[in-house]
Amino acid sequence: MALDVYITGMGIVSGIGIGVDQTLVSLREQKSGIQPLKHLQTIHDLPCAEVDLSEDQMRELLNIPADEVVTRTALMAMLATREALQQARLTMDGTYRVAFIHGTTVGGMEKSEVYYFDFLQNDLHNEFIEAHDCGACTEKIADYFGGFSFVSTPSTACSSAANACILGANLLEAGIVDIAVVGGSECITKFHLNGFKSLMILDSQPCRPFDETRAGLNLGEGAAFIVMESKAHAAKRGVAPLCRLSGYGNACDAYHQTASSPEGQGAFLAMNAALEMSNLQPADVSYINAHGTGTPNNDESEGQAIVRVFGNNPPHVSSTKSLTGHTTSAAGGVEAVISILALQHKFVPANCNFTTQMQSLPFTPVINVLHDIPVQHVLSNSFGFGGNNTSLIFSNVQ
Amino acid sequence: MNSKPIYINGLGSISIQQPLSFEGIQQPLSYQTPHVRCVEPNYKDFFDAVQARRLSKIIKRAIVTAKQAVDDSGISMPDAIVTGTGLGCVEDTEKFLDAMIRNEEKFLQPTFFIQSTHNTISSQIAIHMNCKGYNNTYIHRGVSFENALLDAYLLFQRGTIRTALVTGNDEMTPNYFILLGRIGYWKQAIQNTRTCITQEQSKGSFAGEGSVSIMFSDTPSSKSYACLNRMSLLYKPVKPMQQIIREFVADCGLNIDDIDVCMTGMNADTENDAVYNSVLQDLFSPNEIGTYKHICGEYYTSLSYGMLLSAYCIQQGIVPAHCILGGVEKSGVKHILLYNHFRNRDHSLMLLSTC
Amino acid sequence: MDQLIEQLKKEIIEVLNLEDITPADIDSNAALFGDGLGLDSIDALELIVLMEKNYGIKLQDANQGRDIFKSIQTMAEYISKHRTI
């Protein structure tokens, strides 16, 4: 059954820009956000793509007083959501039943990792005990705007925001809500920076996805949300859709807690399911925005899965994590916005830092931005720990 | 929305009651402490030493109850696995966090980090079953379980799946008990958990924990306990909840009088229970209002236990007296309305009926 | 060397949480990974942390572990050669 899900607004903050316009410029000019750490306090000297705003600056942009308890993850999400609502010309006045679905994993960990021993020993920072909770974070963001009749928090590590898109689409299809605002947000924390470090998958150099010399990922942070509604509902509101979500797939690799199977079975199943739902043939896809973290294991496994689905000459492939870093739970949202920009502005973003062809793969990623080329359907992959694989397909509305 | 019923064909639970059994519904154990941990089965019957090395308690519980529910249903492999968990794998999150702070970001063990992500539970179940189908996890406070169930429910409505394993999992470590205690979650002391809802109304509840797995199918079987007719989740509803409940029941093709028991999340916390009392006072008498948290304790996904209990009661046709606010056993039970709220912000309604 | 092997076995049992396995159950020359004890890539990372914490040996690349962690014997040999603590 074809999906009747159209995107009427989007918003983003990440290491490559605050807002859609800056993001588009960075993508077209291949400006990477991966730099030495500036906002996070840690002993590690690792390049990351931070959002270049302090929490105070975000509060100012959002008009939130200094004494109100709001985490960095929530602040970034508010900025991105505000932009998405504005573009969709949606006022949260209770006219419509609107869902807010926020994929996240670390929640308020950025404060818990500072105050954890206080939590155990005294009452000095009790306000952050509640703020630690991911669901509380979602409600904090929703309440900043008000008027949401449904809220939810999917959490599947690095595919969280992509799974938020699936729930939003299904709620719309079931007629439970009129509009769904979906995406994800995650700030870099010491907790997951050290976690990824303990897995020895952080590169101390800028990451090189789909490159023979790749040696791991760079963390990023960010938030991105899209506004979804049916074609008829968008028409009724007089808002022109940017594109549509034509299909999704979710499958589990069921192989290992962190490693992907060598043949990429979960990724293969997810991409095929998304194609089937979209009623598309592999050859119809113009561009694959890969998960492409830059770890030896992911890119090998995802690459093999792409070959299994698309053959030895797949469509253009790039990993924009070489620009944004890996924004973990937000990645599915960040890359949804990037995919939509590619459709709207007819370009394919680059897979930066590429030098050496992977011996095990027959295809080469897009090394430099391809301008002025037809982009009809974009497939975006997001994979999480535990083999949680999700693929989304965005399509032009013409 | 027109909705198709889905059927509860298998159940499994580990809780603060006898594990892997319905004994707790008939004759619940009672406790005199506000922090009660699970009664564990012997996990050596389920895992060898190498398998068990990276499975924390919550994951062992989840895999074992998942297996019980799947075996109970006679369905060999679910099309989807969806988990609700308020807090995820707290024990391992604490271990990693504690070590990171103490050792100043040095000598960190990856295992505790890997296990700290909330979706570890759902993926470990999938790995153990070799289930490559749809897999998702929801973490939304006191409505985490119904968020997971709604996700599966929508896939059933679309016809994307024919079977689903939906689970609710939470653990309450000593440290997290302290944290939540600081912000008013727990009573200082408790005389008797079994009777606390009627006898010990005060600030806070008592903490439980548990793992419940429920196998749903789009077709009934000889194993079916009950069917889920309809469900609804609401955030900060504008309309009064009484009206919403009336409309929900009407949408199910029933009258309020047809509901045998309204099963609530009352937990002996005055503020929490007052919401149920005020919403339900004109709709149901005390002999039609049910409770289950005196059996399983308060935790974010305790509704999963409430659903297991309700499904079992529908199959038996009886809700035992200790689960009824008015204290009178209810027989001839055909329809149970599950009503849950979290802080009067998030609300959920689900109708379970005989098949 | 025998003393180091014995100590390593105890440390590995503890750090990998191998309940019910005793040092006597682990053959010093048997494979730790694959068909032997059945350990995997995450265990290898745990062993890297163990070597750093207890013996002051820092590996930069997880792939180096492949040869070092072939068996308890090879691990003990590597540690006795490179330990700084």
mmCIF file of all heavy atoms in Angstrom, chain A residues 42-43 119-123 130 139 143 149 152-153 155 173 194 250 252-253 257 385, chain B residues 54 105 110 115 119 124 132-133 135-137 139-141 147 158 182 235-236 345-346:
data_model
loop_
_atom_site.group_PDB
_atom_site.id
_atom_site.type_symbol
_atom_site.label_atom_id
_atom_site.label_comp_id
_atom_site.label_asym_id
_atom_site.label_seq_id
_atom_site.Cartn_x
_atom_site.Cartn_y
_atom_site.Cartn_z
ATOM 1 N N THR A 42 36.497 17.434 27.993
ATOM 2 C CA THR A 42 36.929 16.033 28.065
ATOM 3 C C THR A 42 38.447 15.980 28.001
ATOM 4 O O THR A 42 39.093 16.943 27.566
ATOM 5 C CB THR A 42 36.340 15.209 26.890
ATOM 6 O OG1 THR A 42 36.995 13.936 26.819
ATOM 7 C CG2 THR A 42 36.524 15.913 25.540
ATOM 8 N N ILE A 43 39.021 14.851 28.426
ATOM 9 C CA ILE A 43 40.479 14.720 28.347
ATOM 10 C C ILE A 43 40.923 14.309 26.944
ATOM 11 O O ILE A 43 42.094 14.356 26.622
ATOM 12 C CB ILE A 43 41.033 13.683 29.360
ATOM 13 C CG1 ILE A 43 40.516 12.276 29.028
ATOM 14 C CG2 ILE A 43 40.673 14.060 30.793
ATOM 15 C CD1 ILE A 43 41.318 11.163 29.706
ATOM 16 N N PHE A 119 23.569 13.519 42.689
ATOM 17 C CA PHE A 119 22.256 12.848 42.705
ATOM 18 C C PHE A 119 22.204 11.801 43.820
ATOM 19 O O PHE A 119 21.200 11.628 44.485
ATOM 20 C CB PHE A 119 21.999 12.102 41.384
ATOM 21 C CG PHE A 119 21.808 12.967 40.172
ATOM 22 C CD1 PHE A 119 21.770 12.391 38.905
ATOM 23 C CD2 PHE A 119 21.633 14.341 40.273
ATOM 24 C CE1 PHE A 119 21.584 13.155 37.769
ATOM 25 C CE2 PHE A 119 21.455 15.123 39.135
ATOM 26 C CZ PHE A 119 21.432 14.525 37.886
ATOM 27 N N LEU A 120 23.337 11.095 43.985
ATOM 28 C CA LEU A 120 23.351 9.999 44.953
ATOM 29 C C LEU A 120 23.501 10.495 46.385
ATOM 30 O O LEU A 120 23.026 9.872 47.326
ATOM 31 C CB LEU A 120 24.499 9.022 44.633
ATOM 32 C CG LEU A 120 24.330 8.217 43.341
ATOM 33 C CD1 LEU A 120 25.589 7.419 43.047
ATOM 34 C CD2 LEU A 120 23.120 7.284 43.442
ATOM 35 N N GLN A 121 24.182 11.646 46.530
ATOM 36 C CA GLN A 121 24.558 12.050 47.887
ATOM 37 C C GLN A 121 23.785 13.226 48.468
ATOM 38 O O GLN A 121 23.748 13.416 49.662
ATOM 39 C CB GLN A 121 26.057 12.387 47.908
ATOM 40 C CG GLN A 121 26.925 11.138 47.767
ATOM 41 C CD GLN A 121 28.283 11.429 47.175
ATOM 42 O OE1 GLN A 121 28.679 12.593 47.044
ATOM 43 N NE2 GLN A 121 29.005 10.386 46.807
ATOM 44 N N ASN A 122 23.219 14.083 47.627
ATOM 45 C CA ASN A 122 22.566 15.284 48.168
ATOM 46 C C ASN A 122 21.452 15.774 47.249
ATOM 47 O O ASN A 122 21.197 15.187 46.199
ATOM 48 C CB ASN A 122 23.611 16.391 48.378
ATOM 49 C CG ASN A 122 24.324 16.740 47.089
ATOM 50 O OD1 ASN A 122 23.688 17.083 46.095
ATOM 51 N ND2 ASN A 122 25.653 16.628 47.082
ATOM 52 N N ASP A 123 20.806 16.853 47.672
ATOM 53 C CA ASP A 123 19.662 17.374 46.926
ATOM 54 C C ASP A 123 20.015 18.590 46.067
ATOM 55 O O ASP A 123 19.131 19.328 45.630
ATOM 56 C CB ASP A 123 18.544 17.768 47.902
ATOM 57 C CG ASP A 123 17.883 16.542 48.506
ATOM 58 O OD1 ASP A 123 17.689 15.570 47.765
ATOM 59 O OD2 ASP A 123 17.581 16.550 49.717
ATOM 60 N N GLU A 130 15.141 14.580 36.871
ATOM 61 C CA GLU A 130 14.006 14.481 35.950
ATOM 62 C C GLU A 130 14.473 14.730 34.517
ATOM 63 O O GLU A 130 14.058 14.051 33.584
ATOM 64 C CB GLU A 130 12.962 15.537 36.352
ATOM 65 C CG GLU A 130 11.606 15.318 35.746
ATOM 66 C CD GLU A 130 10.810 14.273 36.516
ATOM 67 O OE1 GLU A 130 10.788 14.351 37.751
ATOM 68 O OE2 GLU A 130 10.230 13.396 35.859
ATOM 69 N N GLU A 139 9.034 15.817 26.158
ATOM 70 C CA GLU A 139 7.899 16.633 26.605
ATOM 71 C C GLU A 139 8.316 18.086 26.820
ATOM 72 O O GLU A 139 7.540 19.010 26.601
ATOM 73 C CB GLU A 139 7.270 16.013 27.861
ATOM 74 C CG GLU A 139 6.628 14.670 27.529
ATOM 75 C CD GLU A 139 5.808 14.060 28.659
ATOM 76 O OE1 GLU A 139 5.665 14.695 29.729
ATOM 77 O OE2 GLU A 139 5.304 12.932 28.464
ATOM 78 N N ASP A 143 6.391 20.977 24.983
ATOM 79 C CA ASP A 143 5.723 21.998 25.791
ATOM 80 C C ASP A 143 6.216 23.412 25.470
ATOM 81 O O ASP A 143 5.522 24.387 25.723
ATOM 82 C CB ASP A 143 5.915 21.718 27.289
ATOM 83 C CG ASP A 143 5.132 20.491 27.729
ATOM 84 O OD1 ASP A 143 4.334 19.978 26.915
ATOM 85 O OD2 ASP A 143 5.332 20.031 28.871
ATOM 86 N N SER A 149 -0.807 16.879 20.569
ATOM 87 C CA SER A 149 -1.776 15.970 21.191
ATOM 88 C C SER A 149 -1.203 14.562 21.356
ATOM 89 O O SER A 149 -1.850 13.684 21.910
ATOM 90 C CB SER A 149 -3.046 15.906 20.342
ATOM 91 O OG SER A 149 -2.740 15.436 19.046
ATOM 92 N N SER A 152 6.006 11.051 21.580
ATOM 93 C CA SER A 152 6.612 9.733 21.723
ATOM 94 C C SER A 152 8.127 9.828 21.575
ATOM 95 O O SER A 152 8.641 10.778 20.979
ATOM 96 C CB SER A 152 6.048 8.775 20.669
ATOM 97 O OG SER A 152 6.547 7.466 20.901
ATOM 98 N N THR A 153 8.816 8.831 22.141
ATOM 99 C CA THR A 153 10.273 8.827 22.124
ATOM 100 C C THR A 153 10.810 7.466 21.691
ATOM 101 O O THR A 153 11.015 6.579 22.516
ATOM 102 C CB THR A 153 10.823 9.171 23.529
ATOM 103 O OG1 THR A 153 10.111 10.284 24.049
ATOM 104 C CG2 THR A 153 12.314 9.482 23.467
ATOM 105 N N SER A 155 13.778 5.044 20.642
ATOM 106 C CA SER A 155 15.204 5.066 20.956
ATOM 107 C C SER A 155 15.848 3.773 20.501
ATOM 108 O O SER A 155 15.709 2.734 21.138
ATOM 109 C CB SER A 155 15.411 5.239 22.456
ATOM 110 O OG SER A 155 16.795 5.306 22.737
ATOM 111 N N GLU A 173 -1.165 7.608 8.507
ATOM 112 C CA GLU A 173 -1.904 6.649 7.688
ATOM 113 C C GLU A 173 -3.124 6.112 8.430
ATOM 114 O O GLU A 173 -4.140 5.828 7.826
ATOM 115 C CB GLU A 173 -0.988 5.487 7.304
ATOM 116 C CG GLU A 173 0.122 5.884 6.353
ATOM 117 C CD GLU A 173 -0.314 5.853 4.905
ATOM 118 O OE1 GLU A 173 -0.771 4.793 4.467
ATOM 119 O OE2 GLU A 173 -0.210 6.896 4.236
ATOM 120 N N ASN A 194 33.191 8.669 25.266
ATOM 121 C CA ASN A 194 34.033 7.645 25.884
ATOM 122 C C ASN A 194 33.565 6.234 25.530
ATOM 123 O O ASN A 194 34.373 5.312 25.434
ATOM 124 C CB ASN A 194 34.068 7.829 27.402
ATOM 125 C CG ASN A 194 35.083 8.877 27.814
ATOM 126 O OD1 ASN A 194 36.277 8.616 27.788
ATOM 127 N ND2 ASN A 194 34.617 10.072 28.135
ATOM 128 N N ASN A 250 12.375 -1.403 8.004
ATOM 129 C CA ASN A 250 13.082 -1.596 9.275
ATOM 130 C C ASN A 250 13.296 -3.084 9.432
ATOM 131 O O ASN A 250 12.357 -3.866 9.295
ATOM 132 C CB ASN A 250 12.224 -1.020 10.424
ATOM 133 C CG ASN A 250 12.683 -1.462 11.809
ATOM 134 O OD1 ASN A 250 12.947 -2.646 12.054
ATOM 135 N ND2 ASN A 250 12.735 -0.532 12.740
ATOM 136 N N CYS A 252 16.082 -6.184 11.450
ATOM 137 C CA CYS A 252 17.133 -6.387 12.445
ATOM 138 C C CYS A 252 18.168 -7.354 11.890
ATOM 139 O O CYS A 252 17.831 -8.406 11.368
ATOM 140 C CB CYS A 252 16.517 -6.936 13.729
ATOM 141 S SG CYS A 252 17.713 -7.068 15.053
ATOM 142 N N ASP A 253 19.411 -6.952 12.007
ATOM 143 C CA ASP A 253 20.505 -7.794 11.533
ATOM 144 C C ASP A 253 20.602 -9.074 12.385
ATOM 145 O O ASP A 253 21.011 -10.125 11.896
ATOM 146 C CB ASP A 253 21.812 -6.989 11.608
ATOM 147 C CG ASP A 253 22.864 -7.478 10.629
ATOM 148 O OD1 ASP A 253 22.491 -7.966 9.546
ATOM 149 O OD2 ASP A 253 24.058 -7.357 10.948
ATOM 150 N N GLN A 257 25.899 -7.634 18.932
ATOM 151 C CA GLN A 257 25.485 -6.423 19.631
ATOM 152 C C GLN A 257 25.983 -5.145 18.979
ATOM 153 O O GLN A 257 25.321 -4.121 19.010
ATOM 154 C CB GLN A 257 25.981 -6.468 21.070
ATOM 155 C CG GLN A 257 25.067 -7.252 21.963
ATOM 156 C CD GLN A 257 25.645 -7.341 23.349
ATOM 157 O OE1 GLN A 257 26.631 -8.027 23.573
ATOM 158 N NE2 GLN A 257 25.053 -6.623 24.271
ATOM 159 N N PHE A 385 23.104 0.297 16.891
ATOM 160 C CA PHE A 385 23.597 -0.856 17.655
ATOM 161 C C PHE A 385 22.543 -1.954 17.675
ATOM 162 O O PHE A 385 21.357 -1.665 17.666
ATOM 163 C CB PHE A 385 23.822 -0.450 19.115
ATOM 164 C CG PHE A 385 25.141 0.167 19.390
ATOM 165 C CD1 PHE A 385 25.393 0.703 20.652
ATOM 166 C CD2 PHE A 385 26.139 0.230 18.449
ATOM 167 C CE1 PHE A 385 26.609 1.283 20.951
ATOM 168 C CE2 PHE A 385 27.356 0.806 18.731
ATOM 169 C CZ PHE A 385 27.590 1.336 19.993
ATOM 170 N N ARG B 54 27.773 -11.493 28.953
ATOM 171 C CA ARG B 54 27.458 -10.085 28.678
ATOM 172 C C ARG B 54 25.974 -9.798 28.821
ATOM 173 O O ARG B 54 25.473 -8.855 28.243
ATOM 174 C CB ARG B 54 27.930 -9.716 27.269
ATOM 175 C CG ARG B 54 29.376 -9.268 27.240
ATOM 176 C CD ARG B 54 29.629 -8.355 26.075
ATOM 177 N NE ARG B 54 29.313 -8.976 24.811
ATOM 178 C CZ ARG B 54 30.199 -9.647 24.068
ATOM 179 N NH1 ARG B 54 31.438 -9.775 24.453
ATOM 180 N NH2 ARG B 54 29.829 -10.173 22.928
ATOM 181 N N GLU B 105 37.762 9.249 32.816
ATOM 182 C CA GLU B 105 37.673 8.879 31.392
ATOM 183 C C GLU B 105 38.739 7.883 30.939
ATOM 184 O O GLU B 105 39.024 7.798 29.756
ATOM 185 C CB GLU B 105 37.702 10.128 30.486
ATOM 186 C CG GLU B 105 36.634 11.165 30.803
ATOM 187 C CD GLU B 105 36.664 12.327 29.826
ATOM 188 O OE1 GLU B 105 36.497 12.086 28.627
ATOM 189 O OE2 GLU B 105 36.863 13.471 30.277
ATOM 190 N N PRO B 110 34.055 -1.449 27.319
ATOM 191 C CA PRO B 110 33.044 -1.251 26.269
ATOM 192 C C PRO B 110 31.727 -1.968 26.547
ATOM 193 O O PRO B 110 30.670 -1.489 26.168
ATOM 194 C CB PRO B 110 33.722 -1.805 25.006
ATOM 195 C CG PRO B 110 34.816 -2.687 25.497
ATOM 196 C CD PRO B 110 35.264 -2.107 26.799
ATOM 197 N N GLN B 115 25.818 -2.059 26.501
ATOM 198 C CA GLN B 115 24.584 -2.471 27.181
ATOM 199 C C GLN B 115 23.787 -1.289 27.690
ATOM 200 O O GLN B 115 22.690 -1.467 28.189
ATOM 201 C CB GLN B 115 24.928 -3.342 28.385
ATOM 202 C CG GLN B 115 25.812 -4.483 28.083
ATOM 203 C CD GLN B 115 25.028 -5.729 27.774
ATOM 204 O OE1 GLN B 115 24.359 -5.814 26.757
ATOM 205 N NE2 GLN B 115 25.108 -6.690 28.646
ATOM 206 N N ASN B 119 17.943 0.207 23.468
ATOM 207 C CA ASN B 119 17.471 -0.803 22.518
ATOM 208 C C ASN B 119 18.259 -2.107 22.580
ATOM 209 O O ASN B 119 17.970 -3.037 21.826
ATOM 210 C CB ASN B 119 17.489 -0.242 21.085
ATOM 211 C CG ASN B 119 18.894 -0.024 20.570
ATOM 212 O OD1 ASN B 119 19.760 0.430 21.300
ATOM 213 N ND2 ASN B 119 19.137 -0.361 19.316
ATOM 214 N N GLN B 124 18.865 -7.822 21.780
ATOM 215 C CA GLN B 124 19.316 -9.099 22.349
ATOM 216 C C GLN B 124 18.246 -10.173 22.217
ATOM 217 O O GLN B 124 18.559 -11.338 21.971
ATOM 218 C CB GLN B 124 19.704 -8.927 23.827
ATOM 219 C CG GLN B 124 21.076 -8.310 24.032
ATOM 220 C CD GLN B 124 22.200 -9.306 23.766
ATOM 221 O OE1 GLN B 124 21.987 -10.399 23.275
ATOM 222 N NE2 GLN B 124 23.420 -8.913 24.086
ATOM 223 N N LYS B 132 14.915 -11.517 12.314
ATOM 224 C CA LYS B 132 15.411 -10.413 11.493
ATOM 225 C C LYS B 132 14.300 -9.440 11.100
ATOM 226 O O LYS B 132 14.487 -8.567 10.251
ATOM 227 C CB LYS B 132 16.120 -10.955 10.253
ATOM 228 C CG LYS B 132 17.357 -11.775 10.621
ATOM 229 C CD LYS B 132 18.163 -12.178 9.414
ATOM 230 C CE LYS B 132 19.275 -13.149 9.784
ATOM 231 N NZ LYS B 132 20.315 -12.552 10.621
ATOM 232 N N GLY B 133 13.157 -9.585 11.711
ATOM 233 C CA GLY B 133 12.029 -8.709 11.380
ATOM 234 C C GLY B 133 12.157 -7.318 11.987
ATOM 235 O O GLY B 133 13.201 -6.945 12.539
ATOM 236 N N ASN B 135 12.148 -4.179 14.289
ATOM 237 C CA ASN B 135 12.634 -4.110 15.670
ATOM 238 C C ASN B 135 12.649 -2.655 16.116
ATOM 239 O O ASN B 135 13.217 -1.808 15.432
ATOM 240 C CB ASN B 135 14.054 -4.718 15.719
ATOM 241 C CG ASN B 135 14.496 -5.048 17.129
ATOM 242 O OD1 ASN B 135 14.671 -4.158 17.957
ATOM 243 N ND2 ASN B 135 14.670 -6.332 17.404
ATOM 244 N N ASN B 136 12.005 -2.379 17.233
ATOM 245 C CA ASN B 136 11.967 -0.986 17.674
ATOM 246 C C ASN B 136 11.875 -0.911 19.196
ATOM 247 O O ASN B 136 11.554 -1.900 19.856
ATOM 248 C CB ASN B 136 10.779 -0.255 17.022
ATOM 249 C CG ASN B 136 11.078 1.207 16.751
ATOM 250 O OD1 ASN B 136 11.996 1.795 17.326
ATOM 251 N ND2 ASN B 136 10.295 1.821 15.874
ATOM 252 N N THR B 137 12.194 0.268 19.742
ATOM 253 C CA THR B 137 12.196 0.472 21.188
ATOM 254 C C THR B 137 11.644 1.860 21.508
ATOM 255 O O THR B 137 11.983 2.834 20.830
ATOM 256 C CB THR B 137 13.627 0.360 21.745
ATOM 257 O OG1 THR B 137 14.103 -0.973 21.503
ATOM 258 C CG2 THR B 137 13.675 0.623 23.244
ATOM 259 N N ILE B 139 10.958 4.720 24.703
ATOM 260 C CA ILE B 139 11.338 5.093 26.067
ATOM 261 C C ILE B 139 10.607 6.373 26.428
ATOM 262 O O ILE B 139 11.111 7.458 26.238
ATOM 263 C CB ILE B 139 12.862 5.294 26.173
ATOM 264 C CG1 ILE B 139 13.401 6.209 25.060
ATOM 265 C CG2 ILE B 139 13.580 3.964 26.082
ATOM 266 C CD1 ILE B 139 14.822 6.680 25.309
ATOM 267 N N HIS B 140 9.380 6.231 26.891
ATOM 268 C CA HIS B 140 8.640 7.450 27.216
ATOM 269 C C HIS B 140 7.971 7.357 28.583
ATOM 270 O O HIS B 140 6.761 7.182 28.695
ATOM 271 C CB HIS B 140 7.640 7.791 26.114
ATOM 272 C CG HIS B 140 7.235 9.228 26.145
ATOM 273 N ND1 HIS B 140 7.861 10.197 25.400
ATOM 274 C CD2 HIS B 140 6.339 9.870 26.906
ATOM 275 C CE1 HIS B 140 7.337 11.373 25.687
ATOM 276 N NE2 HIS B 140 6.416 11.204 26.611
ATOM 277 N N ARG B 141 8.785 7.437 29.615
ATOM 278 C CA ARG B 141 8.339 7.528 31.005
ATOM 279 C C ARG B 141 7.279 6.472 31.309
ATOM 280 O O ARG B 141 7.396 5.339 30.912
ATOM 281 C CB ARG B 141 7.819 8.945 31.274
ATOM 282 C CG ARG B 141 8.755 10.010 30.722
ATOM 283 C CD ARG B 141 8.213 11.381 30.940
ATOM 284 N NE ARG B 141 8.767 11.951 32.144
ATOM 285 C CZ ARG B 141 8.446 13.143 32.615
ATOM 286 N NH1 ARG B 141 7.545 13.872 32.006
ATOM 287 N NH2 ARG B 141 9.015 13.607 33.687
ATOM 288 N N ASN B 147 3.433 2.956 24.224
ATOM 289 C CA ASN B 147 4.055 3.486 23.010
ATOM 290 C C ASN B 147 4.555 2.337 22.133
ATOM 291 O O ASN B 147 4.357 2.338 20.917
ATOM 292 C CB ASN B 147 5.239 4.394 23.370
ATOM 293 C CG ASN B 147 4.841 5.853 23.487
ATOM 294 O OD1 ASN B 147 4.866 6.581 22.509
ATOM 295 N ND2 ASN B 147 4.437 6.279 24.668
ATOM 296 N N ARG B 158 -1.960 -1.826 9.347
ATOM 297 C CA ARG B 158 -1.532 -1.692 7.953
ATOM 298 C C ARG B 158 -1.425 -3.041 7.239
ATOM 299 O O ARG B 158 -1.283 -3.093 6.036
ATOM 300 C CB ARG B 158 -0.129 -1.048 7.889
ATOM 301 C CG ARG B 158 -0.093 0.454 7.948
ATOM 302 C CD ARG B 158 1.325 0.947 7.693
ATOM 303 N NE ARG B 158 1.786 0.675 6.339
ATOM 304 C CZ ARG B 158 1.467 1.401 5.283
ATOM 305 N NH1 ARG B 158 0.704 2.439 5.404
ATOM 306 N NH2 ARG B 158 1.928 1.078 4.082
ATOM 307 N N ARG B 182 14.590 10.918 45.698
ATOM 308 C CA ARG B 182 14.835 12.346 45.955
ATOM 309 C C ARG B 182 13.765 13.235 45.347
ATOM 310 O O ARG B 182 13.553 14.350 45.789
ATOM 311 C CB ARG B 182 16.184 12.772 45.337
ATOM 312 C CG ARG B 182 17.356 12.341 46.128
ATOM 313 C CD ARG B 182 18.619 13.043 45.692
ATOM 314 N NE ARG B 182 19.736 12.351 46.292
ATOM 315 C CZ ARG B 182 20.067 12.469 47.574
ATOM 316 N NH1 ARG B 182 19.401 13.295 48.360
ATOM 317 N NH2 ARG B 182 21.068 11.768 48.063
ATOM 318 N N TYR B 235 -1.790 12.995 24.808
ATOM 319 C CA TYR B 235 -0.889 13.861 25.572
ATOM 320 C C TYR B 235 -1.635 15.141 25.923
ATOM 321 O O TYR B 235 -2.176 15.808 25.045
ATOM 322 C CB TYR B 235 0.358 14.183 24.743
ATOM 323 C CG TYR B 235 1.351 15.062 25.471
ATOM 324 C CD1 TYR B 235 1.934 14.621 26.659
ATOM 325 C CD2 TYR B 235 1.687 16.314 24.995
ATOM 326 C CE1 TYR B 235 2.844 15.418 27.337
ATOM 327 C CE2 TYR B 235 2.611 17.119 25.673
ATOM 328 C CZ TYR B 235 3.181 16.664 26.847
ATOM 329 O OH TYR B 235 4.081 17.447 27.525
ATOM 330 N N LYS B 236 -1.679 15.444 27.205
ATOM 331 C CA LYS B 236 -2.364 16.640 27.693
ATOM 332 C C LYS B 236 -3.708 16.871 27.004
ATOM 333 O O LYS B 236 -3.909 17.891 26.324
ATOM 334 C CB LYS B 236 -1.456 17.864 27.496
ATOM 335 C CG LYS B 236 -0.201 17.831 28.355
ATOM 336 C CD LYS B 236 0.502 19.173 28.273
ATOM 337 C CE LYS B 236 1.514 19.364 29.357
ATOM 338 N NZ LYS B 236 2.217 20.657 29.242
ATOM 339 N N ARG B 345 -0.528 13.850 32.562
ATOM 340 C CA ARG B 345 -0.101 14.471 31.294
ATOM 341 C C ARG B 345 -0.307 13.476 30.164
ATOM 342 O O ARG B 345 -0.944 13.776 29.168
ATOM 343 C CB ARG B 345 1.397 14.821 31.350
ATOM 344 C CG ARG B 345 1.786 15.812 32.428
ATOM 345 C CD ARG B 345 3.295 15.728 32.703
ATOM 346 N NE ARG B 345 4.073 16.120 31.544
ATOM 347 C CZ ARG B 345 4.482 17.375 31.313
ATOM 348 N NH1 ARG B 345 4.170 18.335 32.148
ATOM 349 N NH2 ARG B 345 5.190 17.659 30.248
ATOM 350 N N ASP B 346 0.280 12.283 30.339
ATOM 351 C CA ASP B 346 0.163 11.235 29.336
ATOM 352 C C ASP B 346 -0.930 10.273 29.797
ATOM 353 O O ASP B 346 -0.930 9.851 30.964
ATOM 354 C CB ASP B 346 1.479 10.451 29.227
ATOM 355 C CG ASP B 346 2.677 11.361 28.981
ATOM 356 O OD1 ASP B 346 3.258 11.870 29.982
ATOM 357 O OD2 ASP B 346 3.022 11.581 27.826
#
